[in-house]
């Protein structure tokens, strides 16, 4: 019954992002909304709840597929 998708990588253009888990697993299985801050040295941040991986577009961790 459990068929969890792998964590998503989401490219964003802001250093701040809010994540509540909605849409990652299931809307009913979301988590409390948290605000994440991307470290501009690394260019990414992971959500501690749902493991979503946020990457700053154009940042050090942004590896655009070609
Ligand atoms: Zn999350």
């Amino acid at each position: 019954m459990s068929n969890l998708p792998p964590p998503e990588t989401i490219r964003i253009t802001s250093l701040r992002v809010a994540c509540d888990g909605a849409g990652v697993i299931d809307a009913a299985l979301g988590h409390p909304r948290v605000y994440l801050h991307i470290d501009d040295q690394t260019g990414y941040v992971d959500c501690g709840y749902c493991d979503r991986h946020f990457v700053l577009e154009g940042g050090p961790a942004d590896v655009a597929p070609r």
Side-chain angles (χ1 to χ4, degrees):
M1 289 185 36
S2 179
N3 185 24
L4 304 181
E8 287 181 87
T9 295
I10 301 170
R11 298 169 76 225
I12 58 173
T13 56
S14 168
L15 287 176
R16 290 196 73 197
V17 60
C19 182
D20 62 8
V24 177
I25 301 168
D26 185 296
L29 295 177
H31 59 69
R33 177 167 294 203
V34 290
Y35 289 90
L36 306 171
H37 189 292
I38 289 182
D39 184 339
D40 60 8
Q41 296 297 308
T42 60
Y44 72 91
V45 68
D46 293 321
C47 176
Y49 287 93
C50 65
D51 287 340
R52 226 175 198 174
H53 186 66
F54 293 95
V55 173
L56 178 66
E57 200 171 300
D62 183 19
V63 285
R66 290 170 185 260

